[in-house]
Amino acid sequence: MKDTEDLWSVIPVPALVIDQQNGIMRANPAAEAFLNQSQSGLRGVNFSDCAEFEIDLLDLFMRVRGSGMPVTASDINVHLPSARNIPCTLNVSEVSSGRGYLHVLMNPKDGMSEIAVRNSTRNAARTAIGMAEMLAHEIKNPLAGISGAAQLLAMNLTEPDIELTDLILKETKRIVQLLEQVEQFGNLLPPKREPVNVHDVLDQARRSAALGFATHMQFVEDFDPSLPMTDADINQLVQVILNLLKNASEAQKGSGTIWLRTFYDIALRVVDPSGHRRALPLQIEICDDGPGIPESISEMVFDPFVSGKENGTGLGLALVAKIIADHGGWVSVKSKPGSTIFKISLPLSDIQNERMAG
């Protein structure tokens, strides 16, 4: 029974059980966050009263109970009292008891439900840090010996053979540069957090990118000027945005467009390692119209050493995930050909929280 309870609690999308009269019997943590009510507050409430659904729920439930077969309804707008319309896919199936009880899964299309996970990006960061320590100590010293030996050999070789030693030197230099990036990843200091306006961060990163690696890109800004502050290490946050802008610009073989967007959305929450749910209302989106992330790595792009680029180190997005996790935030990505959207969700600053509480 405990295993069943644990499984129910970590289902990453809102899940409910309703009775024969369509009253809510049970709701998982993701459903509590999505509907902004506790399980005790939801218990007994008619499912159709907890939000406005763009569908005849009674007819949908009757079809499932009548046929015994699950039904999926895609792209259904769900309007919550405290949020805009959220397109969802509803999956309705009969509970195995056969007494007319139903399972209802609501899968928000735009990822606005609570992410009921224990922040897997921290685990990825720990893995990369361990790799950094191992690689720095075990590989850099032998590489120095290989490089020195190649230089000595080159002094007494003919031109064709010198090309081979040049190749050895070039490749050892490339590996050393990779290791230095790994060391930088592992040695990243904890953020020195202070109240920060995210628009200042975006402006600084955009200007730097536009004068450097992104000269071929057009930037479009769509900012919410009323966005509150967050607590952040501004240098680390600029590094995050620069990494994402560099990815977006490198995805384009020619010219392209990068959209920078900010908005406020209270619907997104995460469950931290201590089990507390935290709101992450400050949203930053960086979008590009490039070819998209290869499907083969789309689920692993924030893992260390995973890269879709030729000669890529696979550390840029892992570093992004680590920094955002250290700031108590969340980063996600949605990608298809012609549209890649990286979304950063951050908490309010302590000062802002105190003002709201007061």
Side-chain angles (χ1 to χ4, degrees):
M1 180 65 71
K2 184 177 184 303
D3 291 341
T4 303
E5 292 295 325
D6 290 342
L7 180 61
W8 175 261
S9 67
V10 299
I11 295 175
V13 298
L16 304 102
V17 176
I18 63 174
D19 60 23
Q20 301 96 324
Q21 287 74 44
N22 302 329
I24 296 174
M25 299 176 60
R26 192 176 184 191
N28 73 339
E32 292 179 280
F34 185 72
L35 299 172
N36 200 26
Q37 292 191 62
S38 66
Q39 180 166 219
S40 59
L42 289 169
R43 189 173 291 118
V45 174
N46 192 286
F47 181 74
S48 60
D49 292 335
C50 63
E52 296 179 18
F53 296 86
E54 189 188 50
I55 191 174
D56 187 341
L57 288 176
L58 182 60
D59 177 68
L60 178 65
F61 294 162
M62 287 178 62
R63 277 193 287 154
V64 174
R65 292 188 176 106
S67 66
M69 300 296 292
V71 172
T72 298
S74 301
D75 295 330
I76 305 302
N77 280 329
V78 178
H79 182 75
L80 302 174
S82 60
R84 58 184 173 87
N85 285 340
I86 302 173
C88 293
T89 296
L90 299 183
N91 301 99
V92 183
S93 59
E94 197 166 24
V95 176
S96 57
S97 63
R99 292 182 291 178
Y101 295 168
L102 300 178
H103 279 134
V104 180
L105 298 179
M106 294 186 292
N107 191 0
K109 188 175 181 180
D110 56 1
M112 291 176 59
S113 66
E114 175 183 20
I115 303 169
V117 295
R118 304 296 176 175
N119 215 333
S120 61
T121 52
R122 293 185 181 273
N123 294 331
R126 292 192 191 99
T127 301
I129 290 171
M131 290 294 292
E133 294 173 350
M134 181 191 73
L135 289 170
H137 291 91
E138 300 298 328
I139 299 179
K140 285 186 75 175
N141 288 337
L143 278 177
I146 293 171
S147 178
Q151 289 175 326
L152 290 173
L153 284 173
M155 297 172 63
N156 298 306
L157 294 177
T158 59
E159 189 64 32
D161 293 328
I162 288 178
E163 291 181 7
L164 296 177
T165 56
D166 285 346
L167 176 62
I168 294 172
L169 291 170
K170 179 181 177 181
E171 290 302 303
T172 53
K173 182 179 179 180
R174 186 177 66 84
I175 296 172
V176 168
Q177 289 174 340
L178 169 61
L179 295 177
E180 287 173 349
Q181 292 182 52
V182 176
E183 285 183 305
Q184 178 190 4
F185 187 96
N187 294 329
L188 188 67
L189 296 175
K192 296 179 180 179
R193 300 170 68 178
E194 59 182 350
V196 169
N197 185 325
V198 297
H199 296 131
D200 293 338
V201 173
L202 290 169
D203 186 59
Q204 181 178 336
R206 178 194 57 77
R207 285 189 286 111
S208 177
L211 293 172
F213 55 78
T215 54
H216 60 297
M217 302 295 290
Q218 177 185 358
F219 288 89
V220 177
E221 296 178 352
D222 180 13
F223 291 164
D224 177 357
S226 65
L227 208 64
M229 292 189 294
T230 188
D231 288 330
D233 184 317
I234 189 167
N235 291 326
Q236 290 190 11
L237 216 52
V238 167
Q239 184 178 5
V240 164
I241 303 302
L242 280 173
N243 278 4
L244 295 179
L245 294 179
K246 193 167 190 290
N247 269 13
S249 64
E250 288 180 348
Q252 301 282 10
K253 293 182 179 179
S255 60
T257 303
I258 297 176
W259 290 265
L260 302 175
R261 180 179 178 231
T262 64
F263 58 100
Y264 190 89
D265 189 345
I266 195 62
L268 182 62
R269 298 169 182 265
V270 295
V271 179
D272 63 25
S274 63
H276 296 106
R277 297 186 185 91
R278 296 181 292 103
L280 303 177
L282 307 185
Q283 313 300 327
I284 302 171
E285 287 186 346
I286 296 177
C287 321
D288 70 73
D289 54 358
I293 297 171
E295 188 175 351
S296 59
I297 65 168
S298 60
E299 301 295 325
M300 306 178 292
V301 291
F302 296 110
D303 291 347
F305 311 111
V306 174
S307 176
K309 295 183 292 187
E310 186 178 356
N311 297 323
T313 64
L315 291 176
L317 291 180
L319 182 62
V320 165
K322 176 181 175 1
I323 291 175
I324 295 302
D326 286 346
H327 282 76
W330 182 262
V331 60
S332 59
V333 62
K334 293 189 297 184
S335 183
K336 61 182 180 180
S339 175
T340 296
I341 304 173
F342 282 92
K343 180 178 179 180
I344 297 171
S345 304
L346 295 169
L348 294 176
S349 70
D350 291 340
I351 293 177
Q352 189 67 37
N353 277 322
E354 290 172 4
R355 287 175 181 171
M356 294 177 65

